[in-house]
Amino acid sequence: VLSVEDRTKARIIIGENPETNINDFLDKIDNPKEYLVVYDKDGNQIDKDEFDSTIVTTGMKVKLVIGNTEYDEVIAIIRGDIDQDGYVDISDSVTQLNHILYIELIDDYRLYAADVDIDEEAEEDEMIDISDNVKLDKFILGEINNINE
């Protein structure tokens, strides 16, 4: 189940599974696809012809645009996709662990991707801890099937 949350300065949409293509992701949004414009994490618009072959990554933006007017914007968060490539793998685990050990801190909406044990009550500086890394590693190793639970 996808949810839209106002947990940051920008609105986020969170709960999609890793490696989901853009078309499947947009099917779960209530607005008609013809009004949805998708941008990659670097702000480049993704052509609608590429929606089936491009996976959703943390940091992608989906904008509701009718005519020339933008009505809404959300940032996609894929739990575990900390490096913003759409996959959950060992590089995400290392990035998350480096954050926990204060070697290299994660910022912005990537914090929500790193919070895989879903500490909604935690303060931003406390939301990522070793329990997140344990869950992420279990997902990577196939010991759990759904990172969103």
Side-chain angles (χ1 to χ4, degrees):
V1 173
L2 300 179
S3 65
V4 176
E5 303 173 14
D6 292 316
R7 292 176 64 182
T8 64
K9 294 175 187 169
R11 291 171 17 106
I12 62 173
I13 188 165
I14 191 165
E16 186 55 77
N17 293 315
E19 301 182 43
T20 299
N21 73 44
I22 294 173
N23 254 337
D24 291 344
F25 176 70
L26 294 180
D27 284 342
K28 297 173 186 168
I29 296 177
D30 288 336
N31 303 101
K33 276 188 195 177
E34 65 262 23
Y35 300 126
L36 299 177
V37 182
V38 181
Y39 297 85
D40 67 18
K41 65 182 173 58
D42 298 318
N44 302 307
Q45 185 173 339
I46 300 173
D47 190 270
K48 291 181 187 289
D49 294 339
E50 299 174 19
F51 283 5
D52 280 328
S53 61
T54 304
I55 61 172
V56 179
T57 67
T58 294
M60 276 188 168
K61 290 183 181 178
V62 178
K63 297 182 180 187
L64 175 63
V65 180
I66 301 173
N68 292 325
T69 305
E70 180 182 316
Y71 289 95
D72 198 7
E73 174 182 310
V74 293
I75 297 173
I77 306 293
I78 305 298
R79 283 195 181 97
D81 178 31
I82 304 161
D83 64 4
Q84 302 178 280
D85 66 356
Y87 299 93
V88 177
D89 54 29
I90 192 68
S91 66
D92 296 297
S93 178
V94 170
T95 301
Q96 185 187 59
L97 192 56
N98 284 340
H99 176 83
I100 293 166
L101 297 173
Y102 295 96
I103 294 170
E104 186 175 341
L105 296 180
I106 300 167
D107 59 2
D108 296 327
Y109 46 82
R110 293 187 319 139
L111 284 169
Y112 298 99
D115 183 20
V116 296
D117 72 352
I118 314 167
D119 293 330
E120 292 181 12
E121 303 300 319
E123 295 295 320
E124 194 168 282
D125 62 340
E126 300 172 347
M127 63 192 282
I128 314 302
D129 57 28
I130 197 64
S131 65
D132 292 291
N133 194 251
V134 169
K135 183 175 180 181
L136 183 63
D137 288 347
K138 285 183 177 183
F139 180 78
I140 292 167
L141 294 171
E143 294 177 19
I144 59 172
N145 295 321
N146 190 342
I147 199 155
N148 291 302
E149 294 179 346

